């Protein structure tokens, strides 16, 4: 049974769009085949993230980072977690050198291929520093709108394919380089703007349907 560590890189908790993408991926990783650990980044970490969180990442066969784009980069709390993990490994602690790393990036922009490349580059550099296997990213344009409309049938087949590709790649021993997925909106810009206005007026994100395990 493979160990999969999924990191929610958003501080918005149960109102996080990233959590919804995390859950959609988790559904494609059945509990009978995968030992899943879900971690959530924390704010105001005084010294370092707890060792049990870092251990969960270290022993994982696959690490999936799910996060919102912040100023074209990673959220600060997620950057802190990655740096703490790097220091944890460099202190002599063991980690799985064969771990496979993926990213699901939720951005507010309709053209994710123009705005998410720097964030992916940061994660690639993190993998290079630790000699672990960067596989590919899934970058989702207008993420909150995608979450609010994802129940509409046949609307996001490419996103569903990307989730399935992560699940297949985790199971595989294939080392061939994979291309990133860039998921553009399929809803007209005028409707996206209307949904965003409604979302901003309501003052909250999406309600969480299932509560993930936290460590």
């Amino acid at each position: 049974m493979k160990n999969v560590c999924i990191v929610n890189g958003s501080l918005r908790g149960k109102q996080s769009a990233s959590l919804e993408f995390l859950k959609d991926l988790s559904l494609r990783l059945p509990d009978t085949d995968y030992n899943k650990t879900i971690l959530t980044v924390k704010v105001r970490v005084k010294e370092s993230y707890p060792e049990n969180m870092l251990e969960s990442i270290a022993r994982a066969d696959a690490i999936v980072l799910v996060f919102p784009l912040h100023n074209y980069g990673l959220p600060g709390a997620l950057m802190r977690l990655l740096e703490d993990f790097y220091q944890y490994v460099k202190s002599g602690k063991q980690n799985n050198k064969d771990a496979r790393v993926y990213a699901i990036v939720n951005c507010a922009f309709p053209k994710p291929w123009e705005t998410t490349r720097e964030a992916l580059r940061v994660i690639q550099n993190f993998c290079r520093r630790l000699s672990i296997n960067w596989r590919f990213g899934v970058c989702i344009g207008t993420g909150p709108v995608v979450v609010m409309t994802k129940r509409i049938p046949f609307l996001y087949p490419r996103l569903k394919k990307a989730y399935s590709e992560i699940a297949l790649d985790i199971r595989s021993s294939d080392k061939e380089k994979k291309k990133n997925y860039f998921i553009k909106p399929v809803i007209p810009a005028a409707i996206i703007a209307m949904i965003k206005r409604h979302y901003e007026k309501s003052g909250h994100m999406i309600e969480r349907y299932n509560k993930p395990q936290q460590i």
Side-chain angles (χ1 to χ4, degrees):
M1 181 176 290
K2 288 186 178 289
N3 293 318
V4 180
C5 182
I6 309 176
V7 179
N8 180 359
S10 174
L11 291 170
R12 296 184 67 92
K14 67 181 181 180
Q15 296 180 339
S16 165
S18 295
L19 181 59
E20 293 299 314
F21 297 130
L22 183 159
K23 290 189 300 182
D24 289 342
L25 172 64
S26 183
L27 289 173
R28 287 156 175 86
L29 302 171
D31 295 340
T32 53
D33 299 327
Y34 299 92
N35 178 27
K36 291 178 288 186
T37 300
I38 298 177
L39 307 178
T40 302
V41 296
K42 301 176 183 297
V43 68
R44 298 189 184 93
V45 177
K46 291 184 178 180
E47 295 183 4
S48 173
Y49 273 91
E51 187 162 335
N52 62 335
M53 289 184 70
L54 303 177
E55 286 176 353
S56 294
I57 301 173
R59 66 172 178 260
D61 298 299
I63 303 164
V64 187
L65 306 174
V66 189
F67 61 92
L69 194 70
H70 279 196
N71 297 320
Y72 300 96
L74 278 65
L78 179 57
M79 285 291 295
R80 174 66 184 273
L81 175 61
L82 296 184
E83 184 59 31
D84 284 356
F85 180 67
Y86 175 79
Q87 295 300 330
Y88 172 85
V89 173
K90 289 305 176 182
S91 71
K93 301 294 176 61
Q94 295 295 315
N95 72 302
N96 184 355
K97 292 292 187 181
D98 293 322
R100 294 181 165 223
V101 181
Y102 310 84
I104 298 177
V105 188
N106 155 35
C107 79
F109 304 99
K111 297 179 180 180
W113 53 91
E114 294 181 352
T115 56
T116 58
R117 294 188 185 277
E118 178 63 19
L120 294 182
R121 187 187 66 81
V122 169
I123 299 173
Q124 285 179 275
N125 286 341
F126 164 76
C127 294
R128 191 176 299 116
R129 291 168 74 195
L130 290 174
S131 300
I132 54 180
N133 302 311
W134 164 250
R135 298 303 292 156
F136 59 91
V138 179
C139 304
I140 305 167
T142 61
V145 175
V146 171
V147 171
M148 295 177 75
T149 56
K150 69 176 184 175
R151 295 185 182 278
I152 299 175
F154 312 114
L155 196 56
Y156 299 105
R158 184 166 168 76
L159 179 55
K160 294 174 182 177
K161 180 181 178 182
Y163 292 143
S164 297
E165 184 68 23
I166 292 177
L168 287 171
D169 198 70
I170 291 173
R171 291 197 296 269
S172 172
S173 58
D174 179 20
K175 295 185 178 180
E176 181 181 352
K177 187 176 181 180
K178 301 285 187 178
K179 292 184 178 180
N180 297 317
Y181 281 80
F182 295 99
I183 312 298
K184 64 180 181 179
V186 294
I187 299 175
I191 296 178
I192 289 176
M194 181 180 68
I195 293 173
K196 289 179 71 175
R197 284 195 298 271
H198 174 75
Y199 156 70
E200 291 164 356
K201 185 177 179 181
S202 68
H204 62 276
M205 289 287 289
I206 314 302
E207 291 185 2
R208 181 168 57 180
Y209 301 106
N210 296 308
K211 185 177 181 180
Q213 174 189 358
Q214 293 189 19
I215 290 182

